[in-house]
């Protein structure tokens, strides 16, 4: 398939072969020699593409644990769990560890913690090729995540 110049401006040059993806695991790809992404091919053949860096503290999500049953991935550094379907934050396992603090300290307000999420990266499929959209730095937290983090840090 001939690819026009405008298309190439908006997408990474490297394409990913759809047939190379393994279902229900984290597939890791580095595009244009520097931009890492994890791709999940779910049980319903739905693709989800996310940056390979955890929004919490930059952990390597290409080393994350993937749970096929819950369709979640857990950051290897702090265990934050995210939905592999939409990137939404599911759980911070440290909440259970620190649950006893809420009775000891009036300043402990877990409801004010930032709600991280993985930013889904847009893509297009042409034949057997997946093209990942360029644009913003997908590993940079969104403006809403930055604002929530600032609020949490200023408490």
């Amino acid at each position: 398939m001939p690819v026009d110049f405008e298309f190439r401006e908006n997408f990474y040059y490297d394409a990913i072969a759809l047939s190379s993806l393994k279902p229900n695991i984290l597939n890791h790809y580095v595009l244009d020699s520097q931009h890492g992404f994890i791709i999940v091919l779910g049980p319903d053949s739905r693709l989800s593409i996310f940056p390979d860096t955890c929004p919490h503290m930059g952990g390597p999500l290409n080393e994350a644990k993937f749970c096929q049953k819950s369709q979640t991935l857990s950051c290897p550094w702090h265990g934050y769990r995210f939905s592999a379907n939409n990137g939404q934050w599911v759980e911070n396992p440290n909440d259970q560890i620190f649950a006893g603090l809420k009775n000891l300290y009036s300043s402990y307000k877990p409801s004010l913690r930032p709600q991280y999420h993985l930013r889904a990266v847009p893509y297009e499929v042409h034949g057997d090729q997946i093209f990942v959209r360029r644009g913003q730095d997908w590993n940079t937290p969104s403006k809403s995540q930055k604002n929530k983090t600032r609020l949490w840090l200023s408490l």
Side-chain angles (χ1 to χ4, degrees):
M1 166 190 117
V3 179
D4 65 33
F5 180 72
E6 184 178 338
F7 181 82
R8 282 295 188 197
E9 270 186 357
N10 296 318
F11 292 82
Y12 288 102
Y13 182 78
D14 296 333
I16 300 164
L18 187 57
S19 58
S20 72
L21 297 178
K22 294 181 175 82
N24 293 308
I25 68 165
L26 296 179
N27 296 273
H28 182 246
Y29 288 88
V30 177
L31 302 179
D32 293 358
S33 302
Q34 59 187 343
H35 302 280
F37 297 94
I38 54 170
I39 303 174
V40 177
L41 178 60
D44 57 356
S45 297
R46 181 171 47 156
L47 288 173
S48 298
I49 302 178
F50 305 105
D52 66 355
T53 305
C54 181
H56 172 230
M57 292 189 74
L61 291 181
N62 58 305
E63 298 174 14
K65 291 180 184 173
F66 178 73
C67 177
Q68 185 175 349
K69 182 178 178 184
S70 64
Q71 291 291 297
T72 58
L73 55 109
S74 299
C75 177
W77 283 6
H78 300 104
Y80 276 54
R81 284 189 335 130
F82 301 93
S83 166
N85 296 321
N86 58 21
Q88 291 301 308
W89 177 80
V90 174
E91 175 189 36
N92 174 0
N94 299 306
D95 286 347
Q96 293 174 349
I97 295 168
F98 295 109
L101 292 177
K102 64 180 155 187
N103 296 328
L104 297 174
Y105 300 98
S106 62
S107 61
Y108 179 69
K109 296 182 171 84
S111 62
L112 296 178
R113 72 183 180 282
Q115 299 290 313
Y116 298 105
H117 67 275
L118 300 179
R119 297 174 77 183
V121 178
Y123 64 89
E124 289 186 18
V125 177
H126 295 272
D128 185 51
Q129 301 295 307
I130 303 167
F131 292 92
V132 178
R133 181 172 284 283
R134 291 181 189 272
Q136 59 200 0
D137 180 1
W138 299 115
N139 292 315
T140 302
S142 67
K143 186 180 276 189
S144 65
Q145 283 181 305
K146 285 181 185 176
N147 290 340
K148 287 178 183 176
T149 302
R150 276 195 208 108
L151 170 69
W152 182 71
L153 293 174
S154 66
L155 295 176

Coordinates of all heavy atoms in Angstrom, one line a residue, residues 4 12 17 19 21 27-28 38 42 44 48 67 77 83-84 95 105 117 121 136 138 149:
D4 N 1.0 8.0 1.8 CA 1.3 9.4 1.4 C 2.1 10.2 2.5 O 2.2 9.7 3.6 CB 0.1 10.2 1.0 CG -0.9 10.4 2.2 OD1 -0.4 10.5 3.3 OD2 -2.1 10.4 1.9
Y12 N 4.3 7.3 13.3 CA 5.7 6.8 13.4 C 6.0 6.1 12.1 O 5.1 5.4 11.5 CB 5.9 5.9 14.6 CG 5.9 6.7 15.9 CD1 4.8 6.7 16.7 CD2 7.0 7.4 16.3 CE1 4.8 7.4 17.9 CE2 7.0 8.2 17.4 CZ 5.9 8.1 18.3 OH 5.9 8.8 19.4
A17 N 3.5 -5.2 12.6 CA 2.7 -6.3 11.9 C 1.7 -6.8 12.9 O 2.0 -7.3 14.0 CB 3.6 -7.4 11.4
S19 N 0.0 -9.4 12.7 CA 0.2 -10.8 12.8 C 1.3 -11.2 13.8 O 1.4 -12.3 14.2 CB 0.4 -11.5 11.4 OG 1.6 -10.9 10.9
L21 N 1.6 -9.8 16.8 CA 1.1 -9.7 18.2 C 0.7 -11.0 18.7 O -0.1 -11.7 18.1 CB 0.0 -8.7 18.2 CG 0.3 -7.2 17.8 CD1 -1.0 -6.4 17.9 CD2 1.4 -6.6 18.7
N27 N 2.8 -7.0 24.6 CA 3.7 -6.9 23.5 C 4.4 -5.6 23.5 O 3.8 -4.5 23.6 CB 2.9 -7.0 22.1 CG 2.2 -8.3 22.0 OD1 2.8 -9.3 21.5 ND2 0.9 -8.4 22.4
H28 N 5.8 -5.6 23.5 CA 6.5 -4.4 23.6 C 7.2 -4.0 22.3 O 7.8 -4.9 21.7 CB 7.6 -4.5 24.7 CG 8.4 -3.3 24.9 ND1 9.7 -3.2 24.6 CD2 8.0 -2.0 25.3 CE1 10.1 -1.9 24.9 NE2 9.1 -1.2 25.4
I38 N 3.6 -0.4 24.7 CA 3.1 -1.7 25.0 C 1.7 -1.9 24.3 O 1.0 -0.9 24.2 CB 2.9 -2.0 26.5 CG1 2.1 -1.0 27.2 CG2 4.3 -2.2 27.2 CD1 1.7 -1.4 28.6
G42 N -6.4 -8.0 23.1 CA -7.4 -8.6 24.1 C -8.1 -9.8 23.5 O -8.0 -10.1 22.3
D44 N -11.1 -10.2 22.8 CA -12.1 -9.8 21.7 C -11.4 -9.2 20.5 O -12.0 -8.6 19.7 CB -13.1 -8.9 22.3 CG -12.4 -7.6 22.8 OD1 -11.2 -7.5 22.9 OD2 -13.2 -6.7 23.2
S48 N -5.1 -2.4 22.4 CA -4.9 -1.2 23.3 C -3.4 -0.9 23.2 O -2.6 -1.8 23.4 CB -5.3 -1.6 24.7 OG -6.6 -1.9 24.8
C67 N -2.3 -9.6 34.0 CA -3.3 -10.6 34.4 C -4.3 -10.8 33.3 O -5.1 -9.8 33.1 CB -3.9 -10.1 35.7 SG -5.2 -11.2 36.3
W77 N 7.4 -1.4 39.6 CA 8.1 -0.7 40.7 C 7.2 -0.6 41.9 O 7.6 -0.8 43.0 CB 8.4 0.7 40.2 CG 9.6 0.8 39.3 CD1 10.4 -0.3 38.9 CD2 10.2 2.0 38.8 NE1 11.4 0.2 38.1 CE2 11.4 1.5 38.0 CE3 10.0 3.3 38.9 CZ2 12.2 2.4 37.4 CZ3 10.8 4.2 38.2 CH2 11.9 3.8 37.5
S83 N -6.1 -0.8 33.9 CA -6.9 -1.6 32.9 C -6.1 -1.7 31.6 O -5.7 -0.7 31.1 CB -8.3 -1.0 32.7 OG -8.9 -1.5 31.6
A84 N -6.0 -2.9 31.1 CA -5.3 -3.0 29.8 C -6.3 -2.7 28.7 O -5.9 -2.6 27.5 CB -4.8 -4.5 29.6
D95 N -2.5 1.2 49.2 CA -3.6 1.6 49.9 C -4.0 0.7 51.1 O -4.3 1.1 52.2 CB -4.9 1.9 49.1 CG -4.8 3.1 48.2 OD1 -3.9 3.9 48.5 OD2 -5.5 3.3 47.3
Y105 N -3.8 9.3 61.7 CA -3.5 10.7 61.3 C -4.6 11.3 60.6 O -5.1 10.8 59.6 CB -2.3 10.6 60.3 CG -1.0 10.0 61.0 CD1 -0.7 8.7 60.7 CD2 -0.2 10.7 61.8 CE1 0.4 8.1 61.3 CE2 0.9 10.2 62.3 CZ 1.2 8.8 62.1 OH 2.3 8.3 62.6
H117 N -3.6 7.4 35.2 CA -4.1 6.5 34.1 C -3.1 6.5 33.0 O -2.3 7.4 32.8 CB -5.5 7.0 33.6 CG -5.5 8.2 32.9 ND1 -5.6 9.5 33.5 CD2 -5.4 8.5 31.6 CE1 -5.5 10.4 32.6 NE2 -5.4 9.9 31.4
V121 N -2.9 5.4 23.2 CA -2.3 6.1 22.0 C -3.1 5.7 20.8 O -3.4 4.6 20.5 CB -0.8 5.6 21.9 CG1 -0.2 6.2 20.7 CG2 0.0 5.9 23.1
Q136 N 1.9 14.4 20.7 CA 2.5 14.7 22.0 C 3.4 13.6 22.5 O 3.4 12.5 22.0 CB 1.4 15.0 23.0 CG 0.5 13.8 23.2 CD -0.8 14.2 23.8 OE1 -1.0 15.4 24.1 NE2 -1.7 13.2 24.1
W138 N 3.8 10.8 24.5 CA 2.8 10.0 25.2 C 3.2 9.6 26.6 O 2.4 9.2 27.4 CB 2.5 8.7 24.4 CG 2.0 9.1 23.0 CD1 2.6 8.8 21.8 CD2 0.7 9.7 22.7 NE1 1.8 9.3 20.8 CE2 0.6 9.8 21.3 CE3 -0.3 10.2 23.5 CZ2 -0.4 10.4 20.7 CZ3 -1.4 10.8 22.8 CH2 -1.4 10.9 21.4
T149 N -1.6 15.9 40.4 CA -0.4 15.7 41.1 C 0.0 16.9 41.9 O 0.5 16.8 43.0 CB 0.7 15.3 40.1 OG1 0.3 14.1 39.4 CG2 2.0 14.9 40.8

